[in-house]
Amino acid sequence: MRKTEIPESVKIIGINIKLIIKEKNLKVRHVAHDSDLDIEALRRYMLGKQIMGIDKLVRISIALNVEISQLFRNI
């Protein structure tokens, strides 16, 4: 069991990343490459299983070509 639960907001950000990737018809591996992340790390973020730092959020938003605020929709 985890020491601390993953906050709901982290799960929502992951869902938003997944939706943007789908909306833009992108490949997860390309987004991972463009954001300089390991593909498995990006998948953990998308599943809401890992908390990401602001630096990762910035790199993902740049790779997705969206404002960082888009990752925080519905929070």
Side-chain angles (χ1 to χ4, degrees), residues 13 17 37 45 52-63 68 71-72:
I13 292 170
I17 292 169
L37 293 172
Y45 297 147
M52 53 203 116
I54 189 70
D55 60 322
K56 307 273 189 317
L57 288 169
V58 169
R59 292 189 334 222
I60 291 169
S61 69
I62 291 169
I68 196 167
L71 303 182
F72 293 88

Side-chain angles (χ1 to χ4, degrees), residues 5-6 8 11 17 20-22 24-25 29-31 34-36 41 44-45 48 52 56-57 63-64 68 71 74:
E5 274 300 308
I6 299 289
E8 189 64 26
K11 296 174 185 175
I17 292 169
I20 294 167
I21 289 172
K22 186 175 180 178
K24 293 185 168 231
N25 269 337
R29 68 177 180 269
H30 295 150
V31 175
D34 292 347
S35 55
D36 196 28
R44 285 191 301 275
Y45 297 147
M52 53 203 116
K56 307 273 189 317
L57 288 169
L64 293 172
I68 196 167
L71 303 182
N74 303 319

Side-chain angles (χ1 to χ4, degrees), residues 2 6-18 21 28 32 36-53 56-57 59-60:
R2 292 187 173 275
I6 299 289
E8 189 64 26
S9 58
V10 172
K11 296 174 185 175
I12 294 170
I13 292 170
I15 290 168
N16 289 338
I17 292 169
K18 191 184 303 186
I21 289 172
V28 174
D36 196 28
L37 293 172
D38 177 79
I39 191 166
E40 290 306 317
L42 181 57
R43 285 190 174 126
R44 285 191 301 275
Y45 297 147
M46 290 169 52
L47 293 171
K49 293 187 175 186
Q50 186 171 335
I51 296 173
M52 53 203 116
K56 307 273 189 317
L57 288 169
R59 292 189 334 222
I60 291 169

